[in-house]
Amino acid sequence: YSDNALYEGTGGNGQSSLRHVELETGRVLAIHRLPAHLFGEGIAQIDDELFQLNWKGRIGFVYDNHSLKRVRRFRYYTEGWGLTYDGTHLILSDGSSTLRFYDPRSFTVVRELKVHDSRGPVVNLNELEFAHNAIFANVWKTDRVVKISPATGNVVGVIDLSPLVQGLRLKGNQYEANGIAYDEAKDRFFITGKLWPRLFELRLDRSPTSEDR
């Protein structure tokens, strides 16, 4: 979410795209379709450009965020799941417990971060968003979003999305939670999932006395 605009990356071979979507209605205002053999994954914005991963092709695309015209491509050497930008580096997830920080110009790895909680490594990290000086990540096959310290990799909070899933009456892994966007101006998150018919707006309690849950 940027400049009052919602951008969405969609997946599925032969169905993947990058979209500019009207927040209030879900209407698709502009669309760029990926080649049919590619499975689209996470997106992130840097200035006036949008970066998009694909699942197994190990190649990503960069677009002008106004026209959605593709301007160049880049390579990486893992699977591509989630992507976000922390103001300096692009952060990529590949379904493991490791997040990789990339230089956005050369797309070389400058740092790796092992994510863990009190029980050990947290695997299946998926869609990512950077907000509140932390990394938020969907955990595949769960209804949880974990809040990760970018300094230590420690999980410092969890958002339980199961009430949303239960309210939608969706069953099965094909409907898992998998979508996070952040509106910095209004300090609000947008949450959705695979094949969900709704997008939810969430606000997190950031009071000094509250504990992350």
Side-chain angles (χ1 to χ4, degrees):
Y1 187 84
S2 176
D3 299 324
N4 299 314
L6 182 66
Y7 296 96
E8 180 182 47
T10 71
N13 293 108
Q15 305 175 59
S16 296
S17 66
L18 176 68
R19 301 177 178 185
H20 175 197
V21 178
E22 188 174 65
L23 177 65
E24 294 78 9
T25 66
R27 183 167 62 99
V28 177
L29 304 176
I31 187 170
H32 181 101
R33 300 187 186 278
L34 271 67
H37 66 286
L38 295 179
F39 191 116
E41 288 285 357
I43 65 173
Q45 182 176 1
I46 301 178
D47 299 326
D48 291 330
E49 292 185 329
L50 291 163
F51 292 69
Q52 184 176 30
L53 303 175
N54 81 84
W55 180 23
K56 292 186 175 181
R58 298 186 176 185
I59 186 170
F61 302 106
V62 184
Y63 308 85
D64 176 272
N65 76 316
H66 301 291
S67 65
L68 300 191
K69 180 180 179 181
R70 196 174 79 189
V71 296
R72 65 182 184 278
R73 60 178 63 190
F74 58 92
R75 289 195 172 275
Y76 48 95
Y77 297 98
T78 64
E79 290 187 357
W81 288 40
L83 191 68
T84 191
Y85 180 58
D86 67 359
T88 303
H89 300 111
L90 284 163
I91 306 170
L92 184 150
S93 65
D94 62 3
S96 69
S97 62
T98 300
L99 299 178
R100 291 178 173 84
F101 291 65
Y102 284 81
D103 182 295
R105 294 179 180 85
S106 64
F107 226 80
T108 55
V109 178
V110 298
R111 180 185 169 213
E112 293 187 352
L113 182 69
K114 303 290 186 180
V115 178
H116 57 276
D117 60 16
S118 60
R119 294 170 293 183
V122 178
V123 298
N124 292 331
L125 298 175
N126 203 353
E127 163 67 355
L128 305 175
E129 183 73 359
F130 191 85
H132 298 181
N133 296 313
I135 304 165
F136 290 79
N138 283 114
V139 181
W140 185 43
K141 296 184 180 180
T142 78
D143 298 324
R144 294 185 298 131
V145 172
V146 291
K147 180 182 179 183
I148 303 161
S149 165
T152 66
N154 190 44
V155 171
V156 296
V158 176
I159 305 173
D160 179 10
L161 301 179
S162 57
L164 302 184
V165 179
Q166 293 166 7
L168 292 171
R169 298 181 180 179
L170 303 174
K171 296 181 179 179
N173 288 338
Q174 71 269 31
Y175 297 114
E176 67 200 15
N178 188 36
I180 317 169
Y182 178 62
D183 176 8
E184 184 176 9
K186 296 184 179 180
D187 191 21
R188 57 180 176 167
F189 289 82
F190 300 110
I191 300 291
T192 190
K194 294 181 179 180
L195 303 177
W196 285 20
R198 295 184 182 275
L199 180 79
F200 293 89
E201 179 182 325
L202 275 65
R203 285 183 170 84
L204 303 186
D205 185 357
R206 300 180 68 185
S207 63
T209 58
S210 70
E211 295 183 359
D212 288 317
R213 290 188 292 269

